[in-house]
Amino acid sequence: MNQNFAKLATAAAITTSLFVSNIFAQETSKAEDPAFKLTGNVQAQAIKAVYDNDADNTLDNSFLRANVGGKYASDNFEAVINLRIFSPVFGNKNVTDVTTDEKGKVKVTKTAQDKISADTYYAKYIWNLAFGNFSAQFGRFRTDWSVAGNFGTYVDPHLSKRGFLARDYQHDAIAVGFDKGISSFSLLLGTYDNKFDTGYLRAEETLKLGDAKISAAYRGNVLDPVQHTAEVTHRFAGRASYYFLKNLGVYGEVAYIYTGDDENLSVDNAIKPEYAQGTEYVPFFVGIEIPTAGFLNSFYAELEYISNRDELQADADEIAWTVSLIKKIGKRSKIQLSAYSEKEVSDVAIAARFTATVQ
């Protein structure tokens, strides 16, 4: 089955369930105020190194894409679908069609195709109980601690991913959550190949203490060794933030990441670990959000340190930095601009993303 067709079929099925759930909720509960709305935006992004990186004197990276979907929300049910659409020429995604005419002559044609991916889709059920709020969620969704979106969330992306909005990722997962007072807990099983014979366990606890927020999380690929030979990478992380005033706050994160070294990974069914066997890393970053008297909506500065970063990215410095700003333009548009270091502290790149919301 064509992969895009399968994803679109899944999205269509969930869309249908959203409308059905909407009708059911309206008929069975007058206390709720359910709503279904279409969502969408158009995004353009460009990245350019301002140092000599031996590239052509053009943009180092750019894209133009659209996001379209829908969101349903009520007191006890929530569902979201977002499809990400790129232009036909993005990534040179062509479909080759081979045909034979009546004389037996073979004809090969290539047609550019839109690249459509099911970016986010999930259904979440919520029960408001006397002793707290319990939830169950399944689908593909994000869990992200980052404020500015450049560093952090070390329990999820690989440490080699860094730079402008580098923490843009999703989980294919089944999750449960429990909220009570200042506490919010979640536990999920995520998969790599949609079979759930490989994957990971992720647990997270967040405490909201007035203007401060503290989070701790663990993730380990504990599903991998069930039917395969695999090493488990244990990821522990803690994050804290405190805001003195609106747009004036500090935040940071520290993690410990360790990969075992007890298995022979040369056998046929072995799973290659994300990090080399026997390695350990203690990354951390600190950030500050600074007010700009209303000129900008947000302004961030961040500094990150990862020992032995060159093991993850050849010739990379252990220290990295970024400065980011966000400016809204009217009610439906915003621009995000960052200057950040690439492999070396002195290797400065500039990145910009413009988002226009259409609904």
Side-chain angles (χ1 to χ4, degrees):
M1 180 183 289
N2 181 273
Q3 208 172 36
N4 283 337
F5 178 80
K7 291 178 179 178
L8 288 174
T10 301
I14 298 177
T15 302
T16 302
S17 71
L18 294 183
F19 283 107
V20 173
S21 299
N22 191 1
I23 295 172
F24 180 80
Q26 291 179 3
E27 291 181 351
T28 59
S29 176
K30 294 182 180 180
E32 298 177 354
D33 186 20
F36 176 81
K37 68 176 181 179
L38 297 175
T39 60
N41 59 54
V42 178
Q43 294 182 317
Q45 178 173 303
I47 296 176
K48 175 59 181 173
V50 296
Y51 65 98
D52 185 8
N53 61 351
D54 297 324
D56 293 334
N57 191 27
T58 57
L59 295 175
D60 293 288
N61 179 277
S62 64
F63 67 69
L64 176 63
R65 70 187 181 200
N67 297 289
V68 61
K71 181 176 182 178
Y72 172 86
S74 69
D75 290 345
N76 55 17
F77 181 74
E78 176 183 310
V80 170
I81 296 173
N82 184 64
L83 298 178
R84 182 158 285 178
I85 306 172
F86 293 91
S87 67
V89 297
F90 182 83
N92 298 318
K93 298 294 182 181
N94 296 325
V95 172
T96 302
D97 185 25
V98 181
T99 58
T100 305
D101 60 20
E102 296 178 354
K103 297 181 180 181
K105 185 177 180 180
V106 176
K107 181 180 180 181
V108 179
T109 58
K110 291 185 177 182
T111 305
Q113 298 289 313
D114 289 341
K115 181 181 178 182
I116 302 176
S117 62
D119 175 65
T120 305
Y121 48 92
Y122 68 82
K124 182 177 182 180
Y125 300 87
I126 304 167
W127 294 271
N128 299 312
L129 307 175
F131 54 85
N133 298 329
F134 180 78
S135 64
Q137 183 174 355
F138 71 95
R140 181 176 178 83
F141 47 89
R142 291 181 174 87
T143 55
D144 194 345
W145 296 359
S146 297
V147 178
N150 296 284
F151 302 130
T153 320
Y154 296 124
V155 291
D156 294 307
H158 193 278
L159 288 177
S160 61
K161 294 183 179 180
R162 52 184 289 204
F164 181 60
L165 298 176
R167 298 320 190 228
D168 188 11
Y169 65 91
Q170 303 82 21
H171 295 283
D172 295 326
I174 298 173
V176 294
F178 181 73
D179 298 334
K180 181 176 177 59
I182 63 172
S183 172
S184 179
F185 175 78
S186 67
L187 180 70
L188 68 80
L189 287 175
T191 178
Y192 307 124
D193 56 10
N194 300 320
K195 296 179 181 177
F196 279 98
D197 61 348
T198 59
Y200 53 89
L201 175 74
R202 186 185 192 279
E204 178 182 334
E205 168 67 22
T206 298
L207 298 176
K208 295 182 179 179
L209 306 169
D211 297 320
K213 185 162 67 172
I214 301 173
S215 301
Y218 166 80
R219 172 177 162 177
N221 54 310
V222 297
L223 298 185
D224 289 352
V226 174
Q227 297 188 57
H228 303 79
T229 301
E231 286 289 0
V232 176
T233 296
H234 300 281
R235 311 183 191 193
F236 302 89
R239 176 183 171 83
S241 64
Y242 182 81
Y243 272 74
F244 305 93
L245 301 168
K246 182 180 179 180
N247 299 121
L248 176 59
V250 294
Y251 53 94
E253 182 182 344
V254 62
Y256 175 70
I257 302 172
Y258 170 74
T259 302
D261 191 21
D262 298 322
E263 299 290 343
N264 176 16
L265 300 184
S266 63
V267 297
D268 292 338
N269 72 336
I271 297 176
K272 182 180 179 181
E274 291 184 86
Y275 298 94
Q277 289 181 267
T279 58
E280 59 181 19
Y281 300 96
V282 184
F284 70 88
F285 90 99
V286 292
I288 181 171
E289 182 176 1
I290 304 170
T292 60
F295 178 71
L296 300 173
N297 296 95
S298 300
F299 182 79
Y300 306 97
E302 299 175 348
L303 188 68
E304 180 186 57
Y305 176 82
I306 301 178
S307 61
N308 302 317
R309 194 197 292 263
D310 57 351
E311 295 178 358
L312 307 167
Q313 188 178 22
D315 303 321
D317 287 345
E318 295 182 336
I319 294 177
W321 60 269
T322 184
V323 177
S324 304
L325 63 86
I326 298 174
K327 174 65 177 177
K328 292 183 179 179
I329 305 173
K331 294 183 178 180
R332 297 188 178 275
S333 300
K334 70 176 180 179
I335 185 169
Q336 297 162 274
L337 181 66
S338 286
Y340 63 92
S341 62
E342 292 198 321
K343 283 189 176 183
E344 299 181 5
V345 171
S346 58
D347 294 342
V348 181
I350 303 295
R353 176 182 292 183
F354 179 79
T355 302
T357 302
V358 297
Q359 180 64 36

